[in-house]
Amino acid sequence: MEDSDGLKAKRRTNPVSAGLEHTGLYHSFELPDGTLLPGANSLEWQRERLARFGLPEDLTGKRVLDIGPWDGFYTFEMERRGAEVTAIDYTDLDTFRALHRAYGSKAKYLRMEIYELDAATVGTFDIVLCLGVLYHLKHPLLALEKLCAITRDVCVVDTVVIDAEEWRAEGDRGLPYAEFYEYGELAGQLDNWCGPTVGNVEAWIRAAGFARAEVTRVSERSACVLAHRKWGALPKDEAARIVVAGVTSHANRGRSFSSVKEEYLKLWCVWPHEARPQTGELFPEIDGFGAAPLECWITPSGLMVTVRLPPGLAAGRHQIRLKIGAAAWSEPTAFHVDLPGTVVRQTIREIQDGVTWVRGEVDWRNGGWLTVWAEGLSAEADPGNTTVLLAGIPHSPETVDATSGQLNVKLRPLIGAGAHEAVVVHRGASSEPFQFRVVGEPPPIRGLERLARSRE
Ligand SMILES: C[S@@+](CC[C@H](N)C(=O)[O-])C[C@H]1O[C@@H](n2cnc3c(N)ncnc32)[C@H](O)[C@@H]1O
């Protein structure tokens, strides 16, 4: 392990600054008429780097986005292969514009921050190039989420990494991490913010919503990692299809999700085997894109698989399906994202104790269960988009039956004996308050037993 001063000095070196100063160009070019323009990076290195992106020679009909193109070597190369290319950069360079002319390029050149990318303004792309940009970002994971949302096939992430030597000698070495540069610690540049390990780049890619990360090159200081939206070759279907009995949020029993929340999908599967599968054998797919699974557990009701909600899902209905190892794909199951609000008024018709069915009250001695009968719920009503406020405190129902309007709720131990009000809130529309009574006192809150006793 290098001492801190040695490490700092190593990070401060900038291998391209001299070449850049000398030539004025970051990239080298061989123009269509054969003219050679030398830059800080050699043509040989650029071509070798390009070969590791794994892209086909013919990109006819493909849309490509090049983020931070600098002088544009990769933009013009993608165009030469037949792609329709958009390049975005937060700065607007004379060199790019002049070379754009020299190549007779039709590529769009937009002055834009990576964080501004979104399908509504730029559309989606088969291939996204994020080359030499990640370490410039103060919010790398946020940026990768933006990229995932607009990538249809693969995003090539080529970036500075801090463990290139060790990775090449020993491969992946455990926990991923990144250095953070508040000042010019990396190459003396204020706009360098982070230096991840190779494993960290892979982890960020999956955490941002891509199906999988594939390392194709680790050189002296950088790595090329392909962020795939699709699963690669999958095991052949040789066993019975997976049966997904239900989909819920990790936070409640509903299947309504919000695109601005950190939410996970739980797939509840029939699982006749004793052993749980490895995470690498799980292949969830949402609307045709792979989504990296987080974990799986065997529970009394079968196998539970947790999957991230990928970014960029439009408001509306979506479908998830699952393949496990050689078992065939499950039937797709639907869930909702960003259901719009409703103006339909909610009405509470009745509240009953959930055990004795006594009207208008709930008794803690029966466990504090209550049933709320509501009118006005939509067909999509579930515990994710329906909340019952009891004494002003939100309760997520255990079950919601949209047809009968039955909501089963367990009182939270914050609510004591006395008269209280209930309000049902469904997709933004609230009911008038409904009076009910609580009988008996709640059990102490775990961890606060002494608080309860001191009051007695
Ligand atoms: C090191 S150069 C990489 C050039 C080229 N992509 C390559 O890898 O050879 C970084 C490029 O990213 C651009 N850039 C850095 N941060 C950016 C951001 N937040 N949004 C858009 N472009 C950015 C810079 O202006 C510059 O063109």
Side-chain angles (χ1 to χ4, degrees), residues 36 118 170 236 265 352 364 394 427 456:
L36 287 176
D118 113 71
E170 304 162 41
K236 273 210 185 104
L265 293 131
Q352 291 178 287
W364 268 118
R427 294 172 62 182
E456 280 163 14

Side-chain angles (χ1 to χ4, degrees), residues 26-27 41 49 66-71 74 88-91 93 112-115 130-133 135-137 158 191:
Y26 186 74
H27 292 146
N41 291 293
R49 190 184 187 210
D66 186 8
I67 297 160
W70 203 317
D71 310 314
Y74 299 97
I88 68 134
D89 206 313
Y90 67 5
T91 174
L93 294 181
M112 206 183 213
E113 266 281 346
I114 199 167
Y115 306 111
C130 180
L131 314 175
V133 175
Y135 60 94
H136 282 300
L137 304 174
D158 195 297
D191 65 346

Side-chain angles (χ1 to χ4, degrees), residues 241-452:
R241 68 167 61 231
I242 297 297
V243 176
V244 175
V247 175
T248 64
S249 152
H250 80 287
N252 56 61
R253 288 157 194 258
R255 54 171 68 186
S256 306
F257 296 83
S258 160
S259 60
V260 294
K261 291 187 182 160
E262 181 65 30
E263 291 188 312
Y264 309 130
L265 293 131
K266 281 187 171 179
L267 298 180
W268 301 89
C269 311
V270 175
W271 190 249
H273 316 286
E274 267 184 26
R276 96 180 131 119
Q278 304 288 314
T279 317
E281 294 175 290
L282 304 168
F283 306 108
E285 204 179 77
I286 294 173
D287 295 349
F289 291 114
L294 286 166
E295 60 172 15
C296 70
W297 292 103
I298 291 180
T299 73
S301 44
L303 185 76
M304 184 206 65
V305 177
T306 308
V307 183
R308 293 187 184 93
L309 191 70
L313 294 180
R317 199 178 145 93
H318 297 272
Q319 301 224 306
I320 183 164
R321 63 176 193 154
L322 176 67
K323 175 177 168 62
I324 303 180
W329 286 104
S330 71
E331 292 292 346
T333 309
F335 64 93
H336 305 281
V337 171
D338 295 342
L339 274 176
T342 170
V343 286
V344 178
R345 275 208 76 87
Q346 309 301 307
T347 307
I348 297 180
R349 275 193 284 122
E350 186 59 271
I351 287 185
Q352 291 178 287
D353 185 287
V355 173
T356 62
W357 300 107
V358 174
R359 292 179 173 210
E361 73 171 41
V362 51
D363 195 329
W364 268 118
R365 287 165 303 185
N366 303 321
W369 287 95
L370 69 154
T371 295
V372 178
W373 297 95
E375 271 174 12
L377 298 178
S378 67
E380 294 83 12
D382 68 30
N385 55 35
T386 310
T387 301
V388 184
L389 297 174
L390 298 172
I393 296 169
H395 288 64
S396 185
E398 297 291 315
T399 59
V400 172
D401 187 313
T403 315
S404 64
Q406 181 177 1
L407 314 174
N408 289 326
V409 185
K410 180 153 174 53
L411 266 184
R412 292 174 64 177
L414 299 157
I415 301 174
H420 299 287
E421 282 184 344
V423 170
V424 168
V425 185
H426 173 60
R427 294 172 62 182
S430 302
S431 69
E432 290 293 332
F434 187 96
Q435 306 293 324
F436 75 107
R437 261 178 353 104
V438 171
V439 178
E441 287 303 331
I445 296 169
R446 236 186 127 237
L448 297 179
E449 291 85 353
R450 290 178 60 198
L451 195 69

Side-chain angles (χ1 to χ4, degrees), residues 82-103:
E84 179 206 321
V85 188
T86 299
I88 68 134
D89 206 313
Y90 67 5
T91 174
D92 189 310
L93 294 181
D94 290 343
T95 50
F96 183 97
R97 288 197 178 271
L99 285 157
H100 190 271
R101 252 188 242 158
Y103 277 98

